[in-house]
């Protein structure tokens, strides 16, 4: 089932949400994208993740239309690009995102990946935006453990409550150190591309586990990412059937046999692996 994970800053973040990467790029697809996000909300997927980078802000405008009249139902996540992440640049970028999203506040605002602007400036801007009521919580994306530990020592760093990273059955490196570190501090891991952008190999083990749960292999792969309390998945879907399938994945409860089958097919890392990105 979909549940809320409470971060160390008190954010209640749904463990399964809706991604919007590549949305807003096509006028022809816009109506379908809006409908998919609305359907997700109807099914209880109350987190929508977007970014100023996606379609140069176009995805944020799709989100605006999808949540019109439903703002209080939705936990909205957006991101500032690293080249905009100076102190003044972050303030300005947030204002632009608020305008495109047509909201007064962003629930969780992330630095999209480490950049050349000092992280101290970005965190200072996040703190200022929170004081102004324009964001509620802040975090980072694509940060490896050493980068998170450095952030932790900076003013505002102890209020980083989420790290959005690549995680799926094919990319398990963060299980060694990053997930445990974040879990011990109630920092959310937001798993992007939990289905490897539709390229997940259809292993026989997934079919076996899926048959036990009257599910599809894709649903099993998505549900697997949710087995840690602090991991949140944000798959992107446009087709209604895909949105419904994703929502049902939250109801799968794995047995020890299921997890053993999956581990044999997709082995966990035996040593430390640098953070992977797309």
């Amino acid at each position: 089932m979909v549940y809320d994970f409470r971060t160390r800053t008190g954010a209640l973040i749904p463990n399964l949400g809706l991604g919007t990467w590549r949305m807003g790029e096509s006028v022809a697809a816009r109506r379908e994208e809006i409908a998919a996000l609305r359907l997700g909300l109807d099914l209880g997927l109350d987190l929508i993740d977007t970014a100023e980078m996606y379609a140069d802000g176009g995805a944020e405008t799709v989100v605006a239309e999808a949540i019109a009249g439903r703002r209080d139902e939705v936990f909205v996540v957006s991101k500032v690009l690293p080249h905009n992440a100076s102190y003044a640049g972050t303030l300005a970028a947030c204002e632009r995102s608020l305008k495109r999203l047509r909201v007064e506040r962003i629930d969780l605002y992330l630095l999209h990946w480490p950049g050349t602007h000092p992280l101290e400036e970005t965190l200072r801007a996040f703190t200022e935006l929170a004081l102004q009521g324009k964001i509620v919580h802040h975090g980072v994306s694509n940060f490896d453990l050493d980068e998170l530990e450095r952030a932790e020592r900076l003013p505002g760093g102890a209020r980083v409550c989420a790290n959005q990273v690549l995680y799926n059955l094919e990319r398990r490196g963060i299980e060694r150190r990053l997930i445990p570190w974040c879990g011990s501090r109630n920092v959310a891991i937001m798993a992007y591309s939990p289905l490897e952008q539709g390229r997940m190999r259809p292993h026989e083990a997934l079919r076996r586990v899926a048959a036990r749960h009257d599910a599809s292999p894709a649903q099993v792969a998505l549900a697997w990412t949710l087995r840690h309390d602090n991991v949140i998945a944000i798959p992107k879907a446009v087709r209604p059937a895909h949105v419904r399938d994703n929502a049902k994945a939250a109801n799968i409860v794995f047995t020890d046999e299921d997890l053993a089958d999956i581990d044999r097919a997709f082995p966990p890392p035996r040593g430390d692996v640098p953070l992977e990105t797309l």
Side-chain angles (χ1 to χ4, degrees), residues 232-244:
I232 292 153
I234 46 170
K236 178 225 176 176
V238 176
R239 292 187 296 107
H242 192 181
V243 177
R244 291 190 178 93

Side-chain angles (χ1 to χ4, degrees), residues 116-134:
T116 57
H117 289 293
L119 183 58
E120 293 91 328
E121 290 191 26
T122 313
L123 291 172
R124 184 162 66 94
F126 285 167
T127 300
E128 177 60 26
L129 288 166
L131 288 173
Q132 294 176 12
K134 294 175 180 176

